[in-house]
């Protein structure tokens, strides 16, 4: 593990296993090239994230990319998350073009040029799959959050990722299920299982991820107030629980909670900070929103 500008860079055990296998099979040079491609890919994310002022704790390098642990997860705008996500595959574009240029100049052999170009293409395209925590999954997450509440974004992001990673596992074992075909696609199976188990854990941790989102709302609300922003009202009855109102929050919006009677009379207007603080202080999700005024 190395540390650069406060960010820990570590190699995932899955990558270590592939490294050991490459040494045993004589493909160490190819693997070290792949390692460098993955590192540059991930540095694209890190540089753009730093440009937005994000706090990145750790980057774990995987054979197909990396996973960054971001302290500000949930509080950053969807636009920033999308730009940080696409920054990785863009590194593969220029690296593939550079390899092609070196091949055209005769500096690299045609076989090696083809390997570097294909490695970059595979890493870029694979990372664009809409599966968390891949770059495509983060782009999907950012797009979903533009139209859904943040809680629904977490749920649907996990569901889509589980279905697609499950399909990847199934596709890897299809040859084994058909007599006369070749064996299991081991590489695809291992990666598919890793993504499926990662998203299974992610799905179980959604309550904690949503709580972390709520704890960052104060900073996000402050940014809205400083620059001025339209408020998106959330209309609830006085019987609505605090948790049901909080689950209506959207990522990039500032909310005013309007409490109304069945007849349409407005009982109170509550700024979102008061709702969040009331929940965080007493931790009673089933408490009625109107009780916060009592």
């Amino acid at each position: 593990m190395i540390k650069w500008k406060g960010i820990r860079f570590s190699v995932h055990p899955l990558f270590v296993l592939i490294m050991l296998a490459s040494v045993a099979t004589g493909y160490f040079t190819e693997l070290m090239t792949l390692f460098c491609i993955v590192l540059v890919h991930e540095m694209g994310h890190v540089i753009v994230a730093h440009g937005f002022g994000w706090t990145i704790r750790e980057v774990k390098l995987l054979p197909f990319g990396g996973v960054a642990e971001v302290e500000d997860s949930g509080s950053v705008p969807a636009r920033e998350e999308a730009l940080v996500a696409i920054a990785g595959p863009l590194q593969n574009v220029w690296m593939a073009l550079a390899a092609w240029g070196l091949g055209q100049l005769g500096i690299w052999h045609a076989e090696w040029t083809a390997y570097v170009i294909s490695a970059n293409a595979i890493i870029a395209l694979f990372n664009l799959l809409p599966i968390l925590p891949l770059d495509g999954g983060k782009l999907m997450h950012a797009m979903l959050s533009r139209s859904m509440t943040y809680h629904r974004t977490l749920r649907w992001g996990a569901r889509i990722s589980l279905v697609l990673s499950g399909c990847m596992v199934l596709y890897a074992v299809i040859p084994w299920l058909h007599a006369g075909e070749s064996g299991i696609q081991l590489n695809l199976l291992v990666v598919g299982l890793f993504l499926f188990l990662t998203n299974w854990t992610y799905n179980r941790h959604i309550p904690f991820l949503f709580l972390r989102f709520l704890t960052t709302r104060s900073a996000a609300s402050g940014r809205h107030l400083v620059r001025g922003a339209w408020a998106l009202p959330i209309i609830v009855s006085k019987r609505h629980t605090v948790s049901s109102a909080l689950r209506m929050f959207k990522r990039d919006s500032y909310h005013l909670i309007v409490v109304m009677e069945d007849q349409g009379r407005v009982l109170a207007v509550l700024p979102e900070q008061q709702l969040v603080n009331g929940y965080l202080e007493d931790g009673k999700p089933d408490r009625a929103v109107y009780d916060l005024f009592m």
Side-chain angles (χ1 to χ4, degrees):
M1 183 179 70
I2 60 174
K3 200 167 186 178
W4 177 75
K5 291 192 174 182
I7 305 172
R8 296 190 302 273
F9 285 82
S10 61
V11 179
H12 193 275
L14 183 60
F15 210 156
V16 175
L17 290 175
I18 293 178
M19 284 182 176
L20 294 175
S22 70
V23 173
T25 55
Y27 286 96
F28 187 70
T29 302
E30 289 81 354
L31 181 76
M32 290 310 298
T33 303
L34 180 65
F35 178 85
C36 292
I37 291 173
V38 168
L39 182 60
V40 174
H41 173 107
E42 205 59 30
M43 286 304 298
H45 295 308
V46 171
I47 291 170
V48 175
H50 260 293
F52 286 127
W54 291 19
T55 303
I56 303 175
R57 294 194 298 266
E58 183 176 3
V59 174
K60 290 183 179 179
L61 299 178
L62 289 149
F64 49 80
V67 178
E69 293 185 11
V70 181
E71 191 171 296
D72 312 289
S73 178
S75 66
V76 297
R79 172 180 168 275
E80 290 185 9
E81 183 178 29
L83 290 173
V84 170
I86 201 64
L90 287 177
Q91 308 311 306
N92 299 115
V93 172
W94 76 255
M95 283 190 285
L97 290 174
W100 177 82
L102 292 170
Q104 292 296 306
L105 293 172
I107 298 174
W108 281 3
H109 294 299
E111 296 81 3
W112 185 250
T113 299
Y115 171 76
V116 175
I117 291 175
S118 63
N120 275 286
I122 290 170
I123 290 174
L125 293 174
F126 183 82
N127 270 278
L128 288 173
L129 292 175
I131 304 173
L132 292 167
L134 302 180
D135 301 332
K138 293 173 182 176
L139 287 170
M140 171 190 68
H141 196 271
M143 287 188 291
L144 288 176
S145 67
R146 301 288 292 180
S147 58
M148 292 184 178
T149 65
Y150 192 71
H151 190 268
R152 284 176 60 83
T153 297
L154 292 173
R155 288 289 182 199
W156 276 103
R159 290 168 182 168
I160 294 171
S161 298
L162 281 169
V163 169
L164 293 181
S165 55
C167 290
M168 189 182 299
V169 172
L170 184 61
Y171 183 79
V173 300
I174 282 177
W176 177 71
L177 297 175
H178 288 79
E181 296 288 338
S182 58
I184 294 174
Q185 300 181 56
L186 187 58
N187 289 342
L188 188 61
L189 177 62
V190 170
V191 173
L193 286 173
F194 169 78
L195 291 173
F196 185 85
L197 293 174
T198 298
N199 282 288
W200 184 269
T201 303
Y202 175 86
N203 188 56
R204 295 188 63 180
H205 288 173
I206 283 177
F208 304 103
L209 295 172
F210 186 65
L211 179 61
R212 184 170 68 174
F213 163 73
L214 294 178
T215 60
T216 63
R217 287 299 290 186
S218 177
S221 299
R223 289 196 297 269
H224 284 299
L225 294 174
V226 167
R227 67 172 184 263
W230 291 98
L232 182 65
I234 294 175
I235 301 174
V236 298
S237 72
K238 63 181 181 182
R239 295 183 297 275
H240 266 79
T241 63
V242 170
S243 63
S244 64
L246 290 172
R247 290 186 180 191
M248 296 182 192
F249 277 28
K250 294 190 69 173
R251 182 180 189 171
D252 291 337
S253 300
Y254 180 82
H255 297 291
L256 292 175
I257 293 81
V258 181
V259 185
M260 300 182 68
E261 286 187 329
D262 295 337
Q263 295 79 9
R265 185 170 68 91
V266 175
L267 297 176
V269 178
L270 188 72
E272 70 167 54
Q273 298 99 312
Q274 189 172 341
L275 183 66
V276 173
N277 292 339
Y279 169 69
L280 295 177
E281 286 171 6
D282 62 23
K284 297 178 180 177
D286 295 328
R287 180 182 182 185
V289 173
Y290 190 64
D291 290 347
L292 294 174
F293 295 96
M294 304 304 288

